[in-house]
Amino acid sequence: MKKVYLETFGCQMNVSDSERVSTVLARDGFEITSDQLSADVVIINTCSVREKAEHKLYSHVGRLRKKAKLKMPVIGVMGCVAQLEGETLFKKIQGVDFVLGTRAVGRISNAVNETLSGRSGYLDVGEREDDYDWTVADTHRHSPYVAFLPIIEGCNKFCTYCIVPFSRGRERSLTASDIVRQVLELRRNGVKEVHLIGQNVNSYRPQTDSGLEQFAGKSAFSRLLRAVAATGIERVKFTTSFPRDFRDDIVDAIDEHENLCNWVHLPVQSGSNKVLKAMKRGHTIEKYLAKIDRIKASPRDIALTTDIIVGFPGETEPDFLDTVKMVEYCGFDMAYMFKYSPRPETPAYEMSDDVSPAEKTLRFMELERAQKHSQDRQLQKYLNKVLKVLPETASSRSDSGLTGHSTCHKIVNFEGSNEMLGQIVDVRITEIKTNSLFGEVIK
Ligand code: 5AD
Ligand code: SF4
């Protein structure tokens, strides 16, 4: 039996694709191994959203070549870099045997088999097959209790800095009936928390309404949320939301269904209208803040997280200070912050990258400070509160510790036994750290 090792970089969509690739390969007679050195085939699932992410592929193949002293494994590249680079990857990286694009992952066994039987330069950056099977076998999920379920793939937004519309193609939504069927199956198999995922999860728009309840004037996404909540699965989370399509009816649905979790990830990218316009985000800062106000007004105490880019072309010091001000206003529980990284082929690549690297670093550090300050204050609200936590793994920090996530998507560490894994427990928060909370289980 040939052994396959998978290395995954990037977003949840990549994690989800890797889970499906493992499922397909295992079904077709391969063994999925966690030991890279003994693998006959190494597949690298790549991310290209920033230059740094793309470099991980190059250094990973380099390391692999150094380590594999006796026999080089077959090396396959999938994911966003594979889709964007295609054939040129064979020239760019010595040792790559096959390249499989983002919509070709269903044909993974073909790529591996053909390469193992001697074919070189196997390339497939074609479209998804009509009968593509989205299911993941229980044993190949990243967690027995938490499942990622893609409901929409691709992106039509073309924000000027972003490579995703090129690497993931146009938006395509799964049918609601298919999603509900999968959630019911996950629930039957012991999954407690399902994450509906998509580059713009709330832009969900299936071609038919079948499986969606009719609520006049409500978006397809909020109706899907209600349908998924009605399956009775214990927790539903969703990410990533696109501000322009984030309507009040989504918050209404959360307010009305306890199993829709109290966490929204809503990337803002900048606090300056001038920069937002140059990014073609399709929202002004005023519109974004109005959505934040609606979310904050919810009785569910919804936690907010975001993404921010500093140093976009043309960003001046006053523009940047608008971002700092916005961060202080919003009170994000967490913000993922990035220095602008020009990506070839995107419209912003043609703009002058006129914020110097030193200035980008300074702004990044200042924003980090502002966010940390706001976050420290924000997270204090959890102290002494009781949160519902799903223990997912034994903690790496102590022998008797468990780690899981709250409904508001905080990492929570606490003392507990392994029998608690997968069982939602009440935890009183006793200590707040920057990126996680500590607490004790209430009997
Ligand atoms: N440079 C820096 N950050 C980027 N992101 C996307 N493209 C770029 C880029 N070219 C960030 C955005 C997005 C997150 C996933 O990555 O903040 O929301
Ligand atoms: Fe990229 Fe914008 Fe699409 Fe998000 S919405 S994936 S930032 S183009």
Side-chain angles (χ1 to χ4, degrees):
M1 215 184 209
K2 296 282 187 194
K3 292 183 184 170
V4 182
Y5 174 86
L6 260 143
E7 181 76 38
T8 305
F9 298 113
C11 65
Q12 287 165 322
M13 200 57 94
N14 270 13
V15 173
S16 177
D17 281 344
S18 286
E19 291 175 351
R20 222 160 285 109
V21 159
S22 304
T23 303
V24 170
L25 286 172
R27 181 200 65 198
D28 292 346
F30 294 94
E31 180 186 334
I32 307 298
T33 175
S34 54
D35 174 24
Q36 182 174 309
L37 286 180
S38 71
D40 303 290
V41 181
V42 172
I43 302 173
I44 308 165
N45 193 355
T46 57
C47 170
S48 62
V49 79
R50 285 169 296 277
E51 200 182 5
K52 228 164 135 186
E54 190 164 331
H55 277 154
K56 285 192 180 160
L57 166 66
Y58 302 94
S59 50
H60 194 80
V61 177
R63 272 201 307 278
L64 205 63
R65 231 191 276 120
K66 255 193 218 149
K67 276 190 197 156
K69 292 194 183 91
L70 294 175
K71 182 187 84 155
M72 248 324 249
V74 160
I75 298 182
V77 180
M78 56 181 270
C80 291
V81 180
Q83 182 71 38
L84 291 164
E85 298 278 347
E87 185 117 45
T88 58
L89 263 190
F90 296 119
K91 291 194 200 92
K92 271 194 178 169
I93 314 180
Q94 203 200 336
V96 168
D97 298 295
F98 70 83
V99 171
L100 205 66
T102 50
R103 273 99 71 203
V105 288
R107 299 184 284 276
I108 183 72
S109 300
N110 208 20
V112 174
N113 280 326
E114 292 266 329
T115 307
L116 282 172
S117 48
R119 177 163 162 192
S120 68
Y122 182 101
L123 171 74
D124 183 352
V125 285
E127 287 306 316
R128 206 176 283 300
E129 48 278 53
D130 287 339
D131 59 350
Y132 180 70
D133 186 357
W134 288 89
T135 46
V136 169
D138 292 337
T139 41
H140 295 293
R141 236 181 294 109
H142 70 284
S143 160
Y145 321 115
V146 181
F148 293 156
L149 183 57
I151 64 161
I152 172 170
E153 60 170 344
C155 180
N156 292 351
K157 310 301 193 266
F158 290 95
C159 300
T160 53
Y161 52 83
C162 190
I163 198 73
V164 168
F166 305 93
S167 61
R168 289 271 170 187
R170 296 295 70 74
E171 288 172 7
R172 285 166 304 266
S173 298
L174 273 73
T175 65
S177 33
D178 202 27
I179 294 163
V180 167
R181 182 189 55 74
Q182 286 197 59
V183 174
L184 285 168
E185 196 172 314
L186 290 167
R187 181 175 178 235
R188 262 197 309 278
N189 294 350
V191 167
K192 298 289 162 62
E193 180 173 303
V194 65
H195 288 225
L196 307 178
I197 64 170
Q199 258 78 33
N200 300 291
V201 74
N202 57 324
S203 304
Y204 176 75
R205 205 170 336 123
Q207 288 192 330
T208 80
D209 255 9
S210 100
L212 286 178
E213 270 183 80
Q214 296 301 319
F215 281 93
K218 303 295 183 211
S219 64
F221 181 63
S222 77
R223 288 186 287 147
L224 177 74
L225 281 179
R226 289 173 189 277
V228 172
T231 62
I233 188 133
E234 289 200 58
R235 292 170 156 200
V236 183
K237 293 179 178 176
F238 57 89
T239 189
T240 292
S241 293
F242 184 64
R244 198 183 58 207
D245 293 342
F246 195 92
R247 292 173 28 182
D248 287 355
D249 59 354
I250 299 174
V251 191
D252 294 340
I254 296 175
D255 285 349
E256 288 163 36
H257 297 273
E258 181 135 20
N259 56 350
L260 300 181
C261 287
N262 51 339
W263 165 53
V264 169
H265 182 65
L266 199 61
V268 61
Q269 312 299 2
S270 170
S272 148
N273 276 334
K274 188 190 91 193
V275 174
L276 287 172
K277 197 164 174 206
M279 288 175 163
K280 282 219 167 73
R281 284 290 288 172
H283 65 85
T284 61
I285 198 63
E286 291 76 17
K287 287 214 165 117
Y288 182 85
L289 295 182
K291 289 169 203 275
I292 295 294
D293 289 343
R294 170 65 189 97
I295 295 169
K296 295 236 160 189
S298 159
R300 293 288 308 280
D301 203 4
I302 298 173
L304 273 163
T305 56
T306 198
D307 295 345
I308 303 171
I309 298 175
V310 297
F312 187 76
E315 184 190 76
T316 60
E317 184 67 18
D319 292 326
F320 170 67
L321 292 176
D322 283 344
T323 300
V324 175
K325 213 162 67 198
M326 176 273 303
V327 156
E328 283 160 358
Y329 178 86
C330 291
F332 298 114
D333 274 17
M334 164 89 98
Y336 299 94
M337 293 164 275
F338 310 101
K339 292 182 209 168
Y340 168 66
S341 160
R343 307 310 291 131
E345 312 289 330
T346 62
Y349 195 71
E350 305 302 320
M351 302 176 191
S352 154
D353 186 13
D354 54 0
V355 181
S356 70
E359 187 58 37
K360 275 184 195 162
T361 301
L362 279 178
R363 289 183 192 173
F364 181 85
M365 283 163 54
E366 190 174 335
L367 187 65
E368 233 181 9
R369 253 194 317 274
Q371 170 56 25
K372 176 155 188 340
H373 185 249
S374 156
Q375 189 167 320
D376 285 348
R377 209 168 0 128
Q378 183 67 22
L379 297 185
Q380 284 306 316
K381 72 177 177 205
Y382 296 114
L383 196 61
N384 295 321
K385 258 214 171 156
V386 176
L387 301 182
K388 292 223 171 288
V389 179
L390 172 62
E392 291 151 48
T393 48
S395 160
S396 50
R397 293 160 186 268
S398 83
D399 288 346
S400 55
L402 299 180
T403 298
H405 284 88
S406 62
T407 53
C408 54
H409 210 54
K410 297 279 119 16
I411 295 173
V412 183
N413 301 293
F414 55 97
E415 294 291 304
S417 59
N418 282 359
E419 292 85 76
M420 284 181 182
L421 288 172
Q423 309 295 329
I424 293 169
V425 289
D426 285 332
V427 177
R428 184 184 304 284
I429 302 305
T430 54
E431 196 187 344
I432 315 280
K433 296 253 173 94
T434 309
N435 292 318
S436 58
L437 309 177
F438 286 75
E440 53 200 22
V441 175
I442 301 183
K443 290 275 179 285

